[in-house]
Amino acid sequence: MDWFADSFSTVQQWLYESVVQPLAFALGAGNLLELAYDGTGWLVVGLLQIVVMVAVIGPLQRLWPVEPVRDARAVRVDVIYTLIHRLGLFKLVIFFTFENWLEAGIGELRGRGLPTFHLDQLWPGVTDGALVSFIIYLVVFDFANYWLHRAQHRFNWWWALHSLHHSQRQMTMWSDNRNHLLDDVLRDLLFVLLAIFIGVAPGQFVALVAISQLSENFQHANLKIWFGRIGERLWVSPRFHRLHHSVGIGHESAGKGTLGGYNFGVLLPWWDMLFGTANFEHRFDATGVRDQVEQGRDYGAGFWAQQFLGLKRLFGRG
């Protein structure tokens, strides 16, 4: 892994010195160079993810699709969401606003005596190893992600935003980032707060996010793939997650009009198995939201329409 870390740092440094730093000076933002360097790291990660998506997951979708792509426009809108998030634009806006305030607040509390907790120091010599600590943080983050995902399906106000993600009837590898931006802000802040609380190093946080996002791209792909009886219980597959997006099944627990659903796990299906929300049926159903399919509810065809209608649903007007 050292060679990868060294290669990544080399590319980040080159891109920063060749493009980002001169641009920052040209824009009169020389006081933000540290932020610009961190942002360059997220940009490199995003570009690597997009390369893997196009070079690996894309061809797989063409070889083993669940369904033919009939709505190319819907897919193009999802590409916009992916570029906004993976090229660092969303991260940049969040840092300048909410995350900056959050970290300043945490710093103030620490100055007043709030202790710094490091989860990887629970068993010195064992849990502080690079690989072991990474696995620990991955499992902890996935556990938190499971319950956060269930909350998105539990509360009417949150489902009003999150339902946009489920309204994609043409699932592809680009569908992961199709979310309401307000929903993304809330999730981002909660996970930054968790990372600060348990002492995740910045480099590990970037790696955790990068691996999680790439896996989620694969899970959302238009792929008729499953991992077998054992594999399905070790890592979330495209089949397992597609059922979560299936009309009715994935977003209802007790019939029409109820909230809930099945297969909330983001990376690991363990939490669904442990808390009774797993569905391992071998099926590849149509995706979408029931009121969208049966009643024609409009979730928007374009980016801005989707964001606007999400706010209308949130305030009970859409």
Side-chain angles (χ1 to χ4, degrees), residues 16 22 27 50 53 69 77 97 112 137-139 148-149 167 171 180 186 195 221 225 244 253 255 264 268 276 295 297:
Y16 171 73
L27 295 174
I50 291 172
M53 290 169 65
V69 176
V77 174
T97 53
R112 295 176 179 272
Y137 287 131
L138 185 144
V139 172
L148 187 150
H149 197 179
S167 68
M171 288 262 291
H180 197 282
L186 183 56
I225 286 180
H244 174 71
S253 292
F264 297 102
L268 308 170
Q295 303 165 28
R297 189 176 196 178

Side-chain angles (χ1 to χ4, degrees), residues 169 247 287-297 299:
R169 310 226 45 219
V247 179
T287 62
V289 186
R290 187 185 295 280
D291 59 13
Q292 171 195 32
V293 175
E294 297 183 354
Q295 303 165 28
R297 189 176 196 178
Y299 282 83

Side-chain angles (χ1 to χ4, degrees), residues 162-190:
H162 183 63
S163 56
L164 168 61
H165 181 67
H166 282 258
S167 68
Q168 177 55 282
R169 310 226 45 219
Q170 193 72 77
M171 288 262 291
T172 70
M173 63 182 182
W174 302 103
S175 300
D176 174 42
N177 287 122
R178 175 195 174 97
N179 298 299
H180 197 282
L181 295 180
L182 186 56
D183 191 6
D184 283 327
V185 168
L186 183 56
R187 292 185 73 258
D188 189 88
L189 289 179
L190 289 173

Side-chain angles (χ1 to χ4, degrees), residues 126-148:
V126 177
T127 58
D128 53 2
L131 180 60
V132 174
S133 64
F134 181 81
I135 292 173
I136 291 173
Y137 287 131
L138 185 144
V139 172
V140 169
F141 266 84
D142 198 61
F143 179 72
N145 224 338
Y146 169 82
W147 285 107
L148 187 150

